């Protein structure tokens, strides 16, 4: 009988250890999953804080960029400004605007134009450099151009865009 009690006690003790081990493994997995979730939440909160800080910087950069670009109404000065530069470089200018088309990226829009320049090649080159590189008033991109030489003069036909601040910008 004492052998039977020992065997039964050993069986009950073994079942208890098995159940306890299984319960401890489940609890350990639960703790690990909770810590993993907490770690992800902490990283998410840190990322959110970083994004909030970056958004303030982005808003400041956007404000500064908006100040660099003229408004659509200020493009009325583009033609007289360009003609003045052409005259200063002894270049004859013909300027035509094209349909505005769709909006650009974000608050930046552009107005396509075509222009024809007639004059001495050196003067035409200095005119183009002054509107693309040295220009502080308008942001201009010359996308295509064609040069035709004829005698002492040359003709450049060009397509470009002048960029401006869209209506949604402050």
């Amino acid at each position: 009988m004492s052998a039977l009690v020992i065997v039964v006690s050993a069986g009950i003790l073994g079942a208890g250890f098995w159940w306890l081990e299984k319960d401890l493994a489940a609890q350990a997995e639960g703790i690990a999953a909770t810590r993993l979730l907490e770690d992800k939440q902490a990283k998410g909160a840190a990322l959110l804080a970083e994004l909030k800080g970056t958004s303030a910087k982005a808003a400041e950069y956007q404000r500064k960029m908006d100040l660099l670009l003229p408004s659509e109404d200020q493009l009325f000065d583009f033609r007289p400004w360009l003609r003045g530069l052409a005259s200063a470089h002894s270049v004859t200018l013909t300027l035509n605007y094209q349909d505005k088309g769709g909006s650009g990226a974000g608050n930046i829009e552009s107005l396509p134009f075509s222009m024809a320049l007639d004059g001495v090649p050196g003067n035409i080159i200095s005119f183009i450099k002054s509107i693309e590189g040295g220009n502080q008033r308008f942001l201009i991109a010359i996308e295509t151009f064609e040069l035709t030489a004829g005698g002492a003069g040359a003709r450049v036909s060009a397509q470009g865009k002048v960029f401006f601040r869209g209506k949604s910008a402050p």
Side-chain angles (χ1 to χ4, degrees), residues 12-63:
I12 292 173
L13 190 60
F17 281 132
W18 174 77
W19 179 79
L20 186 60
E21 179 185 357
K22 186 177 176 185
D23 188 49
L24 284 175
Q27 285 183 7
E29 285 179 16
I31 291 170
T34 302
R35 286 195 177 168
L36 183 62
L37 179 62
E38 288 172 353
D39 186 48
K40 284 183 179 180
Q41 288 175 341
K43 287 180 181 177
L47 181 60
L48 181 61
E50 182 181 342
L51 287 175
K52 283 184 178 180
T54 304
S55 70
K57 288 180 186 176
E60 179 65 19
Y61 288 140
Q62 182 66 48
R63 187 186 67 74

Side-chain angles (χ1 to χ4, degrees), residues 48-106:
L48 181 61
E50 182 181 342
L51 287 175
K52 283 184 178 180
T54 304
S55 70
K57 288 180 186 176
E60 179 65 19
Y61 288 140
Q62 182 66 48
R63 187 186 67 74
K64 287 179 180 179
M65 285 180 60
D66 288 343
L67 293 175
L68 293 174
L69 292 173
S71 68
E72 187 172 10
D73 294 339
Q74 291 170 320
L75 290 183
F76 287 112
D77 295 337
F78 181 65
R79 184 184 302 266
W81 173 80
L82 208 55
R83 283 197 175 146
L85 281 176
S87 177
H89 288 88
S90 301
V91 172
T92 303
L93 168 73
T94 305
L95 178 69
N96 295 306
Y97 295 114
Q98 299 166 357
D99 286 337
K100 186 168 75 168
S103 295

Side-chain angles (χ1 to χ4, degrees), residues 96-151:
N96 295 306
Y97 295 114
Q98 299 166 357
D99 286 337
K100 186 168 75 168
S103 295
N107 295 334
I108 300 173
E109 296 187 35
S110 63
L111 178 64
F113 64 89
S114 62
M115 66 179 172
L117 306 167
D118 292 300
V120 177
N123 293 352
I124 292 174
I125 290 170
S126 67
F127 170 77
I128 291 173
K129 284 181 180 178
S130 72
I131 65 170
E132 275 203 311
N135 171 20
Q136 298 297 314
R137 182 134 185 234
F138 296 100
L139 179 59
I140 301 169
I142 304 295
E143 296 176 328
T144 63
F145 68 92
E146 181 180 326
L147 173 66
T148 309

